[in-house]
Amino acid sequence: MALDAFDRALIAAVQGGLPLVARPYEAVGAMLGVSGEQVRERLASMLDEGLVRRIGAVPNHYRLGFTANGMSVWDVDDHQVDALAAQIAQLNGVSHCYRRTRHLPDWPYNLFAMLHGRTRDEVERQADVVAALLGPACRARDILYSTAILKKTGLRLKGTHDVQD
Amino acid sequence: MLRPDQLLLVDYLHGGFPVVDRPFAAVGAALGWSEDHVIECLRQLLASGVLTRFGPLFQIERAGGQFMLAALAVPEERFDEVTALVNALPEVAHNYRRDHPSLNMWFVLAGESAAAVADAARRIEQATGLTVFQFPKEHEYRVELRLPLIPPEGARHGA
């Protein structure tokens, strides 16, 4: 699926957020020279296609009291990692669970699972649950806590085009 | 501390924001609030930094784009300088400082194509003189978190 000029302009117009006015889709349409209905139709189809994951609020975890934000990383046997990770992804407090490329010898970890809690103790307990689940398939582990959000803006498309023509 | 109505709104608006002509009025109807109260409450949450954004979240991979986790080992005395250089790139979507003996800056590069992401990584290497460790996704097991903000008996919806 490739983005056409309208998609690109639409994404560029809303990637920073929807306008906080009574008719936000109408307002976006006005910026793009189309109707609010056209904006809604395309956003609804993008939701169906999965190009839009969701429409909603993106919280700052820290400001909501979830100040312990640990990137847990695990060196898991390649033959078992998929089956085990599927179970880990279902645990409470786990988000963004991925298998990723190792950088040997510096970085032996191939499984990443973000853990979120109000305290580091809470995160450590979650990590213990993960460790128990992985059992002997896990050879090494670490948790990298975030100590500052340096930037959080989400996707930014460049080079968007005018779609009025 | 957030007021109970603010917590309720953050939780309610996790997803499923209506794609209708007057969505804030629809949210208000569901919560028993006025349209103006929904908008004003959201405005405050964004202005105070509780929300970093409100709107559609794009999964650009569905259109050929790429998200790439990357890390740098930044010397402590250069941390602010490197942060500014990295954050200046529009392709850098998130950037976190993390506790680790060497890899202490972790960011996500988002681009319209794998080539755009590779190019952004190259530009960071040129600007900083540091190696960008890239951690491409090989498999995705879960991508979203819904924080348990309010007790289960509170009003929720299943977005």
Side-chain angles (χ1 to χ4, degrees):
Chain A
M1 180 201 338
L3 299 177
D4 65 18
F6 175 60
D7 288 344
R8 297 174 56 83
L10 179 58
I11 292 170
V14 300
Q15 65 195 351
L18 284 173
L20 298 184
V21 297
R23 292 192 159 87
Y25 304 115
E26 202 68 39
V28 170
M31 285 190 276
L32 301 177
V34 301
S35 70
E37 195 178 354
Q38 283 171 280
V39 170
R40 291 197 299 276
E41 278 176 4
R42 185 61 186 121
L43 282 176
S45 65
M46 285 177 167
L47 273 164
D48 287 342
E49 293 161 6
L51 181 53
V52 171
R53 194 191 293 285
R54 63 182 171 95
I55 303 177
V58 182
N60 179 334
H61 297 161
Y62 291 81
R63 295 294 307 274
L64 291 169
F66 288 79
T67 52
N69 167 315
M71 185 173 76
S72 72
V73 292
W74 311 80
D75 174 15
V76 182
D77 182 272
D78 287 331
H79 299 293
Q80 300 179 66
V81 62
D82 285 343
L84 290 167
Q87 298 175 52
I88 289 161
Q90 301 307 313
L91 298 174
N92 281 334
V94 172
S95 75
H96 300 90
C97 185
Y98 300 112
R99 174 158 55 84
R100 298 186 184 278
T101 310
R102 292 185 178 91
H103 285 273
L104 295 171
D106 303 325
W107 189 263
Y109 310 109
N110 59 338
L111 180 64
F112 289 59
M114 292 300 311
L115 303 175
H116 302 269
R118 291 182 171 86
T119 63
R120 286 200 182 185
D121 278 354
E122 212 176 308
V123 171
E124 298 286 343
R125 283 197 298 276
Q126 291 166 347
D128 289 342
V129 173
V130 172
L133 219 154
L134 291 174
C138 174
R139 294 176 289 249
R141 59 182 273 194
D142 197 0
I143 302 179
L144 282 70
Y145 288 99
S146 68
T147 52
I149 297 179
L150 305 172
K151 185 178 186 182
K152 188 170 181 181
T153 52
L155 171 72
R156 286 289 184 276
L157 280 193
K158 297 185 300 180
T160 50
H161 309 292
D162 195 327
V163 293
Q164 294 190 49
D165 54 350
Chain B
M1 267 310 283
L2 294 188
R3 301 190 310 259
D5 63 327
Q6 292 175 316
L7 274 178
L8 176 65
L9 189 64
V10 173
D11 184 73
Y12 188 82
L13 290 180
H14 175 78
F17 186 65
V19 188
V20 298
D21 184 37
R22 299 188 59 171
F24 297 108
V27 169
L31 297 177
W33 297 5
S34 71
E35 181 182 48
D36 284 345
H37 185 58
V38 174
I39 291 174
E40 186 49 35
C41 197
L42 259 178
R43 200 186 304 280
Q44 288 171 9
L45 289 166
L46 284 161
S48 65
V50 171
L51 298 181
T52 58
R53 204 147 44 94
F54 177 76
L57 273 78
F58 293 96
Q59 191 170 10
I60 199 67
E61 283 123 320
R62 292 290 167 91
Q66 192 184 32
F67 285 99
M68 168 80 79
L69 181 68
L72 290 175
V74 184
E76 198 53 43
E77 67 277 11
R78 290 190 60 199
F79 203 89
D80 290 348
E81 173 217 339
V82 172
T83 299
L85 290 169
V86 170
N87 286 0
L89 268 73
E91 291 85 355
V92 175
H94 309 147
N95 189 4
Y96 289 88
R97 181 174 184 136
R98 293 192 181 278
D99 275 343
H100 187 268
S102 56
L103 298 175
N104 54 358
M105 184 182 287
W106 289 77
F107 48 93
V108 173
L109 295 172
E112 288 177 64
S113 64
V117 167
D119 181 60
R122 258 195 309 277
R123 277 183 284 136
I124 289 172
E125 292 192 330
Q126 282 164 4
T128 64
L130 302 170
T131 299
V132 174
F133 286 79
Q134 297 181 46
F135 298 91
K137 254 177 259 180
E138 295 176 337
H139 197 277
E140 178 175 292
Y141 308 99
R142 179 164 177 176
V143 294
E144 275 280 8
L145 174 72
R146 183 154 191 184
L147 297 172
L149 292 180
I150 56 177
E153 62 272 22
R156 301 192 73 129
H157 75 155

